[in-house]
Amino acid sequence: MKNKYSIFSLIKNAFSYHENWQRAWKDPEPKKEYDAIIIGGGGHGLATAFYLAKKHKMTNIAVVEKGWIGGGNTGRNTTIIRSNYLWDASAGLYDHALKIWENLSQELNYNVMFSQRGVMNLAHNLQDVRDLKRRTHANRLNGIDAVWLNTEEVKKFCPIINTSPDIRYPVLGGTLQRRAGTARHDAVAWGYARGADAMGVDIIQNCEVKGIKRNGNVVEGIETTKGFIKTKKIGVVAAGHSSVIACMVDLKLPLESKPLQALVSEPVKPIIDTVVMSNAVHAYVSQSDKGELVIGAGTDAYVSYTQRGSHDVVEGTLKAILELYPIFSRMKMLRQWGGIVDICPDASPIISKTHIKGLYFNCGWGTGGFKATPGSGDLFAHTIANDEPHKLNADFNINRFVSGDLVDEHGAAAVAH
Amino acid sequence: MFLINCPYCGERDQSEFSAGGEAHIVRPKQPTELSDDQWAEYLFMRKNIKGVQFERWNHAHGCRKWFNMVRDTSNDKIHAVYKIGEKPPIN
């Protein structure tokens, strides 16, 4: 049993110079067989394992990760959490996640630093105004908090925004979701890993999946760099590499993997206490607790698995940032990186069974998966445990690309694809 | 970011080009006879290969012509460029 983190454990460990903290999770070798295996040790995969163990009592399970946990998109995103999506299906999905976020630190006994600082989406042209107002109404009908702010209210909420009517894309207003915000991305992976490990889940790092063994139309196990592991249920949560795993069973997915970039500045004193996103000019910015500006850029337009991205994409984003926030003109950017995002044609995820028995996919989160981490894990765990989707992810099945029941969220996805 | 050797204009910066996705996906000859599964396959399903991929590109800020390219998506290295209608120079 793990020691609970508390003020008392902090004081106790202070006396031994913090050198005797218990390991947060074990580093086991794989067993011969598990009841279920999750491929991918990012936030979504670890959350899936956590809820499989916690809610569905499946504790003889493993998470296999080819690198280190949280080293993919979980550790590379801009940590924005919100649920102001347009369609009912998305509202249900993302707000389910947001509700879990609100108690996640307590649930995991791990501080994920969830901060409901609000997310503001700016409108820069008449169509933006119409779309965002429509989305505000749709949100409120679905019980999601959303308000429309005019230009003066935008300026009042975030004074450093340039609201001059003379700029190339003037600010005509914006929407605000106050319950939205940010969280510490690494802590989410670590918290779920620690919680899952405490319930008996094996978290196996540096273990790359090389193949999936099938008998007819039923999965039998996975071939990995640490040998063959037998299992009846496989949940694939491999983000940008989902198509690579799918290829092992000759399955084609409606995905394209592209680099998405982010960058941070040198740390400065608190200057922006919320998250501001602008779809039209493609700039979004928040400030981390360390003081860095966290800036999200766009995706490259071509398929690539190189975790870097093009320079012109960053340049375009920074141009927009400078026009909207002239105060940042002398800031220096410290680091830039890319993650590989798997994008669906309708900018909505897939949380689904497949035609192969025992094979489940959770993918297609594209540019906005972090916000959904707890909800995605919870619903995917339900789908794997019951071999049936939960009602909240029933619309996100893979067959929607055959039936035509797409959930088009390009407008709410914030990053233009 | 990389340089692309446009078959009509020569070597130019990648930012001049727009990507058109996977190449050699043939439009169905008799669309009215297609099942929903076949439509889904044609419209949405992609190989999304990590490795050598055949793809279409358009020199959008140049000659505006379409052409094909063989590129390794794991390192963005371009193996070949060839015109629409031509056979791929490598398999």
Side-chain angles (χ1 to χ4, degrees), chain B residues 15-82:
Chain B
S15 61
E16 287 187 16
F17 297 81
S18 62
E22 197 179 314
H24 307 299
I25 297 174
V26 182
R27 189 179 164 79
K29 288 214 166 59
Q30 285 158 317
T32 50
E33 287 168 24
L34 245 52
S35 69
D36 288 353
D37 279 311
Q38 288 167 317
W39 268 122
E41 179 76 16
Y42 167 69
L43 283 175
F44 299 125
M45 302 304 165
R46 295 292 176 263
K47 290 183 192 149
N48 196 25
I49 292 168
K50 183 181 187 179
V52 176
Q53 166 165 288
F54 296 80
E55 53 194 17
R56 300 178 304 168
W57 283 76
N58 178 248
H59 195 178
H61 302 284
C63 63
R64 298 186 56 82
K65 285 194 176 113
W66 285 90
F67 60 94
N68 290 325
M69 193 154 100
V70 188
R71 183 175 56 98
D72 190 331
T73 60
S74 66
N75 56 18
D76 286 344
K77 196 177 165 202
I78 297 168
H79 293 302
V81 171
Y82 57 102

Side-chain angles (χ1 to χ4, degrees), chain A residues 185-208:
Chain A
H185 49 6
D186 296 324
V188 178
W190 298 336
Y192 272 122
R194 177 171 171 269
D197 179 272
M199 291 183 284
V201 176
D202 280 355
I203 294 159
I204 303 158
Q205 303 183 73
N206 299 309
C207 180
E208 187 176 351

Side-chain angles (χ1 to χ4, degrees), chain A residues 336-357:
Chain A
Q336 166 273 349
W337 63 91
I340 304 305
V341 297
D342 44 330
I343 298 171
C344 264
D346 59 356
S348 284
I350 296 167
I351 313 171
S352 178
K353 297 164 68 171
T354 63
H355 70 275
I356 297 165
K357 190 165 166 45

